[in-house]
Structure formats: C-alpha cells, structure tokens
Amino acid sequence: MEFSDHIKTANVEDVELRQPLHPPSRGTLCITGHHLLFSEREEGSSQQVLLLLRNIDAIEKRMSASSGTITIKCKDLRVLQLDIPGMEQCLNIAHSIETLSSLDRVSEMYPFFFRPNDPSLQDQWGLSTPEKHYAEMEELHKRWRLSSVNKSYSVCPSYPPAVIVPKCIDDETLKNSAKFRQGGRFPVLCYYHRKNGMVIMRSSQPLTGANRKRCKEDELLLQAVIEDSDKGFIIDTRSSQQVQQARMTGGGFESKSCYNCWKRLHRQMERGKPLQESLIKLVEACGDESHNVDRWLSKLENSKWLSHVQTALSTAGLLAECVERDGHSALVHGYEGTDCTLLVCTLAQLIMDPSCRTLEGFLALLDREWLQAGHSFQQRCAHSAFSHARLQQESPIFLLLLDCVWQIWRQFPLALGFSEALLLRLANEVYASDYGTFLCNSDQERCALGVKDRTRCLFRALLRPAERDYYSNPLYEPTELAIWPSVHPQSLQLWQGFFLRWTQQARHLEAVQEEIRNLVNEWARMTQR
C-alpha cells in the first residue's frame, strides 16, 4: 500500500496552531507520508513547523458541527493543538496521522527516504566495531582474542559477529556456554581497565533452572577471565528473591559451589513496565498546571523516577569500585542482559575511563554498548509517555541512561567533553529520527534489512565540524582521574532541560548556556591572537 492511500485530505487552509512558547498562528496544514507541515500564512511571516509523524505518541480528537480540534502529544513531550475547519477534514487528518505515525515496517520509515546533502555521510556507518576496539587495545592481545564464532549470528542473534573473549577459550567452548545463557548471550568482554588490567564482562542469566543444571564450559570461561586472581565479582541487577523466582522458570544464577572464585552482589534495578509507568507518572507531574508545590513534589516522588536514577548510578558506582578501587574483574547481568546490564556497564566506563568522556568517545561508547550489544531500540522506544496503547515491551532505559549522564555532567561540569544539548538531541533521536542509527533491535536486524546500506548514521552526522562545535562542552578540561558521582537524594535533580523543556524556564536556561558558550569561545579567540 502506498503512503498516499492513507491520506484522504492532503492539506487544509485556515488551520490554527497552538504550540508551547509561541502565540497562536493561522496557516496551511499539509500531511505527507512522513511529516506534518504547518506554514503560517500571515503577512510578513514565514514560520513553518515540520513534525516527523514518527514523533507523535498519541492524538486526541474533539469535534463540533463545523470544525474539530486535534491535540497532538509528541514523544519529545511537546503538545500541539490544531483547530481545523470542517469536521470531515478534521477526521481525515486525524485518521492519516494515526495510521502513518504507527507504521511498523522498518523499510517504510523516514530514514530510508532521508537524503542529506553532505556526501561524507553516504559511505560510513558507526564509530566503533569489535575489530577496531580490539586493535586499539594492544594490552589485551596477550590474554584476549577476537572470536568470529558469531559471524553468521547463529550462536547469539543479539551479539555482533565478532566478540572479545579469553585467548585460552576456543569457539566450541563459547558455543556450549551460549547454550547455557539466555538468548545465547555468553560472557564477553566490554571493557579493559588499562590502569590495572581488570575487565568488565557482560552476559545474560545462566539457565540453571530448578534442577540446578551446570555447564562446565561456562564455568571454564569465567575462570579464564580472572586467571590467577583470587576472585571476581558478579553484579546481578536483580534482587535475591527475583533470582530464586527466575530459577523456578528456567533461569537462575551462578552458584557459589560451581563458580567458587566469584562473589555475587545483588542490586535490584527496575526495567520494562515499572520503568515505563514511572516515566508516564513523571511526565504527568511535569504537566500539572495547578501550581501547587506540595502536590507537585508528591507527584514527583510518587513517580519514583529519581529513585531509578539513584539506583542506576549507585550500581554503576559499585561496579566501578570493584574494578578501579578493589582491583577485581566483574561480570554484569540481569535477565536478558540487554537493558540494565548495558546501562550499568556504560555508566561505569564513563566514571572510570577518560576516553569515554570526549564527544567522539561517548558516541563510540553508545555504539559499542547499545547498538552492537543488542539493545532492542525499536521495541523499547515504540512509545513515550503519552500513548494510549497497551504497554508491550516499551521501556525508557536509554532515556534513563541519558538522565544519569546528565546528573554526572551537572556534578562534574568540566569533566565531560560534550554538552547537555547532545543528551537532548539523543533523547529526541532515539524516539523519532531522520537517521537509521536507532532502527531495529539488533545488529543482525540492521544488516538484514539494509539499514547500514540505505540510511545515514546519526553519530557520524554529530561529528561534522559545525555539529561538533555545537555539541562540545566549551568548559571541558580533561582529567585522567575517575569521577565519582554523588547519589545522595539532595545531589540528584530533575532533568529540567528535558522534562520541562517546553516551559519558559527551560528556554531561559538554554539562553544562559548559549551565552556561556559564546563568552568562552570569544575568550578562546582572544587568547589565540
């Protein structure tokens, strides 16, 4: 079916648009296969609003005899209102928006049609590969190797074709370990700490089950990780009770008797539906117009969003302490190992590793730890906070990561080489984008559907000179030291730049940050003369 088959009314005149931070305006509304375009028609004005239909989370209709109103609630938390003359035209527009904003075939999405003018974006995809990551760390080569055991995605569909594993472990051992781990996600290296040679591994849960099954190959793999060290730590992102429940349904944990050199630490982290509901409650609180401070604070607390931020940062801090301060290697997993595991590993690397704190280093970290590591972006980010659809597999775990990074950025304003603007851009792009970076649920899917060949890479676009200047932190001063964020409740704040972004207060903050950027850049130019 063609896009045009979903469009009964392509454009409407004399539409009134109401949007945050702008006075009402009248003009022409047009709808295409991927966009909603409003063009102001008042004399002397050339204002246009271009909205990607994929950015629409929910719409609400209100009809009268001669007109109708459509309220559009966006995934970037914007709320727009369209007053459309003619009930039939309004219903047609609403039907088109509902249909075109929810197309789920990847090849029909806008990144496959987006063609930027910049030729430098046509041939390159991504910033990091396992091969490149391995080649950059020569210290690894003595004890670790690059395995192509997953080259056809047959061992683990959510892993990349190449993974880093202990040199003494052969591919047959890896295959047997994969059979013992949920989704085939056997333990692989994600970080090597140059200061002391310790590593962070990640995986999914072992399938011990109620009968306490064992896998000699899995035990051998983890023993090879710590080699002659006295012990390693397993950070399990589930509670002890959840672990026991998982065992009764075929999952489980690494028992002390089988993995006697590993100490298990439990840190319960919410994911899935509870996290999505937390976001919904927080956005509802931020939209409360009652101006009652007590009510607002109560709603904020009841959302539990800042508690999730605190838990994520404290768990990442624990992981970083095991590696940096205590000098032990660690394995991280929960259930599938594609949500909280990636969140904790990413934050721990940001805390410990200065190379992850530059603009390019941070984007490469996201590439490695989220895109290549198999986070299900398409499922997790299908809806934001406004959708009326029944929750399926949505979960704002990547948004939680960006919030945690913002907390670190706020506490260490000189230590990160990128700005809040980058985090806001990523928060937009993960839900609706011109680029193909966040399409699909795994590297395998992106290859099979031609995403890397037929769409453009967001990370490459963000590193073009003009974009790099805008998203860099003008106050950045590199440090080789680890940066340890405080997780005390008084140290954590609501990310106003995102959750209150469509208010006048947030606009004032943006203006102040832009003025700081201009002053710093001017000072840099003066000192270079």
Side-chain angles (χ1 to χ4, degrees):
M1 184 177 279
E2 298 291 328
F3 293 123
S4 57
D5 296 334
H6 299 300
I7 304 173
K8 293 181 180 178
T9 301
N11 59 78
V12 185
E13 300 285 347
D14 200 31
V15 173
E16 182 173 81
L17 169 67
R18 300 174 187 273
Q19 59 177 327
L21 307 174
H22 294 278
S25 55
R26 285 193 175 275
T28 302
L29 181 71
C30 301
I31 188 164
T32 71
H34 295 106
H35 290 92
L36 203 61
L37 173 64
F38 176 85
S39 301
E40 193 171 331
R41 287 287 183 255
E42 293 182 14
E43 191 173 339
S45 173
S46 59
Q47 179 195 351
Q48 286 191 333
V49 176
L50 185 66
L51 180 68
L52 196 61
L53 290 171
R54 195 74 189 166
N55 192 6
I56 296 175
D57 208 26
I59 71 167
E60 296 171 359
K61 306 182 290 281
R62 195 172 67 249
M63 299 295 163
S64 65
S66 59
S67 65
T69 297
I70 299 176
T71 301
I72 296 175
K73 298 184 176 181
C74 300
K75 294 173 182 175
D76 63 8
L77 308 187
R78 205 174 357 164
V79 178
L80 311 176
Q81 184 174 301
L82 298 169
D83 294 331
I84 300 174
M87 183 174 71
E88 184 179 353
Q89 292 186 122
C90 184
L91 288 171
N92 287 343
I93 292 289
H95 174 74
S96 296
I97 291 173
E98 287 176 325
T99 305
L100 293 169
S101 65
S102 57
L103 296 176
D104 54 8
R105 280 183 58 187
V106 171
S107 60
E108 293 179 340
M109 296 178 184
Y110 184 61
F112 282 87
F113 300 84
F114 176 57
R115 291 294 175 266
N117 295 325
D118 191 342
S120 68
L121 297 178
Q122 292 180 9
D123 302 321
Q124 298 172 311
W125 182 273
L127 298 179
S128 179
T129 63
E131 293 85 353
K132 181 181 177 183
H133 187 47
Y134 181 75
E136 288 172 348
M137 296 185 294
E138 292 184 8
E139 309 97 314
L140 269 179
H141 298 180
K142 184 179 178 181
R143 285 192 54 222
W144 300 82
R145 70 182 179 95
L146 194 67
S147 169
S148 300
V149 67
N150 198 44
K151 62 184 176 183
S152 59
Y153 302 101
S154 57
V155 176
C156 176
S158 61
Y159 272 171
V163 291
I164 302 173
V165 295
K167 185 173 273 189
C168 61
I169 300 296
D170 61 27
D171 284 354
E172 202 57 40
T173 302
L174 297 178
K175 290 177 183 178
N176 286 318
S177 174
K179 293 174 185 175
F180 186 64
R181 295 275 172 174
Q182 183 170 347
R185 293 176 68 89
F186 58 93
V188 297
L189 181 141
C190 71
Y191 177 66
Y192 176 82
H193 197 44
R194 284 188 164 99
K195 290 182 182 178
N196 57 19
M198 297 299 108
V199 299
I200 297 176
M201 309 286 287
R202 48 175 161 71
S203 70
S204 59
Q205 67 174 337
L207 302 177
T208 54
N211 295 327
R212 301 181 185 273
K213 287 186 289 187
R214 292 182 62 175
C215 175
K216 290 289 186 182
E217 291 84 355
D218 193 76
E219 295 167 21
L220 188 65
L221 171 54
L222 285 185
Q223 184 59 43
V225 171
I226 54 177
E227 204 178 39
D228 300 326
S229 177
D230 57 339
K231 66 177 175 181
F233 287 99
I234 297 173
I235 310 289
D236 195 322
T237 62
R238 306 167 294 176
S239 66
S240 301
Q241 183 180 2
Q242 287 175 322
V243 162
Q244 294 297 338
Q245 290 171 346
R247 192 168 66 82
M248 304 316 294
T249 55
F253 57 93
E254 296 84 357
S255 67
K256 188 67 179 173
S257 59
C258 300
Y259 301 85
N260 58 343
C261 290
W262 289 86
K263 181 178 181 181
R264 208 168 65 249
L265 303 173
H266 294 279
R267 292 294 183 274
Q268 183 180 354
M269 297 177 66
E270 295 290 0
R271 58 183 198 131
K273 188 176 179 180
L275 197 60
Q276 183 69 18
E277 289 175 343
S278 175
L279 174 66
I280 292 170
K281 289 178 182 178
L282 176 59
V283 171
E284 181 187 334
C286 293
D288 189 339
E289 298 178 349
S290 66
H291 303 295
N292 184 311
V293 176
D294 290 339
R295 178 175 169 177
W296 149 249
L297 291 174
S298 175
K299 282 190 169 186
L300 178 62
E301 184 177 2
N302 289 338
S303 76
K304 298 183 180 178
W305 181 261
L306 286 176
S307 297
H308 298 315
V309 171
Q310 182 183 41
T311 302
L313 285 171
S314 62
T315 306
L318 173 65
L319 173 59
E321 280 187 34
C322 291
V323 176
E324 165 88 10
R325 290 181 174 171
D326 298 340
H328 294 291
S329 292
L331 168 69
V332 184
H333 71 70
Y335 292 96
E336 298 93 342
T338 57
D339 291 308
C340 296
T341 298
L342 308 185
L343 171 62
V344 170
C345 290
T346 303
L347 292 173
Q349 291 178 61
L350 198 65
I351 289 169
M352 291 187 289
D353 192 343
S355 69
C356 295
R357 300 180 208 143
T358 65
L359 174 60
E360 187 165 359
F362 179 63
L363 294 176
L365 176 64
L366 298 182
D367 198 343
R368 283 196 312 274
E369 290 300 307
W370 292 81
L371 294 168
Q372 294 170 33
H375 180 64
S376 304
F377 280 104
Q378 194 147 339
Q379 293 176 345
R380 297 292 184 257
C381 302
H383 294 289
S384 180
F386 293 122
S387 175
H388 305 305
R390 184 170 173 267
L391 292 179
Q392 300 291 331
Q393 298 190 54
E394 294 86 355
S395 180
I397 196 82
F398 189 74
L399 182 60
L400 180 61
L401 167 78
L402 296 178
D403 196 329
C404 290
V405 175
W406 177 80
Q407 303 287 343
I408 297 173
W409 176 85
R410 193 186 63 80
Q411 292 184 28
F412 299 92
L414 308 183
L416 303 184
F418 49 88
S419 65
E420 180 184 15
L422 177 74
L423 302 177
L424 291 170
R425 175 76 182 269
L426 292 170
N428 284 351
E429 299 282 346
V430 74
Y431 284 103
S433 179
D434 295 344
Y435 299 89
T437 299
F438 295 121
L439 291 180
C440 303
N441 297 306
S442 66
D443 188 71
Q444 179 189 26
E445 285 187 19
R446 280 185 281 276
C447 290
L449 295 171
V451 172
K452 295 183 180 183
D453 299 323
R454 298 169 54 199
T455 74
R456 303 294 176 257
C457 176
L458 171 66
F459 296 160
R460 289 282 176 186
L462 294 176
L463 292 175
R464 290 176 295 182
E467 305 269 341
R468 185 191 289 268
D469 287 345
Y470 181 71
Y471 292 117
S472 294
N473 178 6
L475 302 176
Y476 177 49
E477 292 183 5
T479 174
E480 292 297 312
L481 300 175
I483 51 175
W484 302 96
S486 169
V487 296
H488 293 296
Q490 60 267 34
S491 300
L492 303 177
Q493 293 187 9
L494 177 70
W495 186 12
Q496 294 184 39
F498 180 76
F499 292 108
L500 300 177
R501 65 193 309 188
W502 303 110
T503 64
Q504 200 61 51
Q505 181 183 5
R507 284 294 181 261
H508 291 326
L509 286 172
E510 279 184 23
V512 169
Q513 289 170 0
E514 186 61 28
E515 183 63 24
I516 291 173
R517 172 181 295 278
N518 292 337
L519 288 171
V520 172
N521 290 339
E522 181 62 28
W523 173 256
R525 282 193 294 270
M526 291 174 65
T527 54
Q528 289 171 4
R529 287 174 187 169

